[in-house]
Amino acid sequence: MAAPALRVLAGLTARRWLQERGWRPQDVRVVPAAAGGPKGLVLNPLDRFLFGHWLAGDGPTVHLLGASIGAWRMAAACCADADTALARLADAYVAQNYPHAPGRSPTAATVSAVFNDTLVPHVGAVADELLSHPRRRLHVFTSRGRHLLSREGRWRTPLGYGAAFFSNLASRRALGGWLERVVFSDPRDPLPLPLDDFRTRQVALSAGNLQPAVLASCSIPFWLKAVHDIPGAPPGAYWDGGITDYHLHLRYDQLAGDGLVLYPHFQPSVVPGWLDKGLRARHRASRALDRVVLLVPSAEWIARLPGGKLPDRDDFKRFGDDLTGRMRCWRAAIDASRQLADEFANAVQGGRPLPIEPLH
């Protein structure tokens, strides 16, 4: 029998919970969604099953946390018809196309303008619907600049991010001198986690700031423009939520009440910030992940994808002006990832169980 394409990795408490009680949708309290750009596309069929079917219906409140593409994914999951909204997200993400001069990359201003227009039907036009879901509460993570990074500028931004890079080498908390986490949260219920691990502010989500918050959360420095002065939030420049919270490595061990954190992810490690990608010592599982269940594709399954890898942002350069080729590659990856959703559905519906591995 072939090995599963989907791996389940869990903290100690989460492993014991699943062994004693099995897979029960009412046990899920939090669902995080990482930054990572096109990598998140392989989670689309799994998202559609989770939010369109398994976690649908009556039950306790579920908090959806997202940074960058994860913020868009979790916003779509708050639609009344989450399955359809998530399918539309995948179609729109794959079809991204930014005007540019021959042989040149599109400007950050162009990418921001086009991407903002893309978000309108998916986020801005349905803001009231997203913020009125009976069970789901959205929390959008952004990174707000401080000092040199308080406003975007030709020299300020590269100098500020250079300082942030070296500060982060010293310690993750030192990064807070240049960037702070700002979480835009559904005001109906507070996020049931402490955010004292890093310099943080919280702002109430509203129909007036939902779209700019999601745009900011997706605004990769130098690729897109910062979003300035979001309504209801402290003034300043806001960038990609993945800079401060790349994979949302938060204090899940202090989750209020009973329940689990179910985390569909594209890799088996939860990296705290974007600037920590090269700092392997910060990739290890911590006590904070004790109640986390990761659902991740296996390395063998990834090797069978087009190009032997997950879709990523480098594909924009690799395919260049071959829009059709890139779209075909990404759609093939999404089609293949239905296997991940099918294996999870089979496991939770009483079929073939999935082995539960410890987080490392």
Side-chain angles (χ1 to χ4, degrees):
M1 186 176 293
L6 183 69
R7 298 174 65 194
V8 179
L9 299 91
L12 179 60
T13 296
R15 292 201 308 277
R16 289 174 176 167
W17 185 293
L18 292 176
Q19 288 163 359
E20 293 172 2
R21 310 188 192 189
W23 293 96
R24 305 190 310 177
Q26 66 267 30
D27 291 336
V28 177
R29 294 291 182 272
V30 173
V31 181
K39 296 183 182 73
L41 289 173
V42 300
L43 302 173
N44 186 258
L46 183 56
D47 284 345
R48 291 177 62 185
F49 173 74
L50 288 174
F51 296 110
H53 304 278
W54 196 57
L55 294 175
D58 297 332
T61 296
V62 182
H63 294 267
L64 311 187
L65 287 53
S68 200
I69 188 178
W72 187 3
R73 286 170 52 209
M74 295 301 96
C78 288
C79 285
D81 184 354
D83 192 348
T84 298
L86 287 159
R88 291 175 60 235
L89 178 159
D91 289 341
Y93 202 96
V94 169
Q96 289 179 83
N97 186 27
Y98 302 100
H100 58 277
R104 304 288 296 274
S105 297
T107 65
T110 296
V111 176
S112 286
V114 173
F115 191 70
N116 185 60
D117 290 344
T118 299
L119 286 177
V120 169
H122 300 271
V123 177
V126 292
D128 289 330
E129 176 185 339
L130 301 185
L131 296 175
S132 60
H133 194 284
R135 290 184 57 202
R136 297 172 191 167
R137 305 292 184 261
L138 179 64
H139 305 271
V140 176
F141 282 63
T142 68
S143 303
R144 175 178 176 262
R146 304 183 68 232
H147 306 304
L148 278 173
L149 293 175
S150 62
R151 311 298 293 184
E152 189 171 29
R154 182 177 179 184
W155 300 110
R156 295 168 64 100
T157 303
L159 287 173
Y161 273 106
F165 173 82
F166 287 107
S167 296
N168 187 67
L169 288 178
S171 75
R172 176 161 161 75
R173 282 191 179 271
L175 176 64
W178 297 99
L179 292 153
E180 65 180 0
R181 169 197 292 147
V182 178
V183 185
F184 291 80
S185 293
D186 188 318
R188 291 176 293 172
D189 290 286
L191 184 66
L193 304 169
L195 294 174
D196 55 2
D197 62 309
F198 190 80
R199 185 185 184 97
T200 301
R201 295 182 190 234
Q202 291 185 269
V203 175
L205 265 178
S206 69
N209 65 20
L210 176 57
Q211 167 133 347
V214 174
L215 176 62
S217 189
C218 295
S219 293
I220 305 165
F222 310 108
W223 283 68
L224 287 86
K225 303 291 287 182
V227 178
H228 287 83
D229 305 331
I230 298 175
Y238 290 76
W239 277 281
D240 196 308
I243 303 169
T244 55
D245 291 283
Y246 190 42
H247 294 164
L248 300 158
H249 192 138
L250 306 174
R251 294 304 307 272
Y252 301 114
D253 59 324
Q254 296 186 25
L255 175 66
D258 287 335
L260 297 175
V261 177
L262 184 64
Y263 195 161
H265 198 15
F266 44 78
Q267 67 179 56
S269 59
V270 181
V271 180
W274 190 84
L275 295 173
D276 298 322
K277 289 197 297 182
L279 305 177
R280 295 291 176 180
R282 298 186 190 177
H283 295 197
R284 293 194 294 264
S286 72
R287 180 178 176 182
L289 305 182
D290 188 52
R291 294 168 69 175
V292 171
V293 181
L294 280 184
L295 306 177
V296 302
S298 69
E300 294 77 13
W301 179 83
I302 292 173
R304 296 195 295 270
L305 293 178
K309 67 175 188 61
L310 299 172
D312 59 39
R313 206 167 61 245
D314 288 341
D315 290 339
F316 284 107
K317 292 182 179 179
R318 184 161 70 96
F319 285 94
D321 291 332
D322 182 11
L323 176 64
T324 300
R326 177 182 59 76
M327 291 172 62
R328 184 186 306 114
C329 177
W330 286 8
R331 285 177 179 146
I334 295 171
D335 288 343
S337 64
R338 289 175 185 151
Q339 183 179 359
L340 306 177
D342 290 344
E343 288 185 359
F344 183 74
N346 189 32
V348 300
Q349 291 169 353
R352 181 184 180 187
L354 290 166
I356 303 173
E357 308 171 47
L359 276 169
H360 294 295

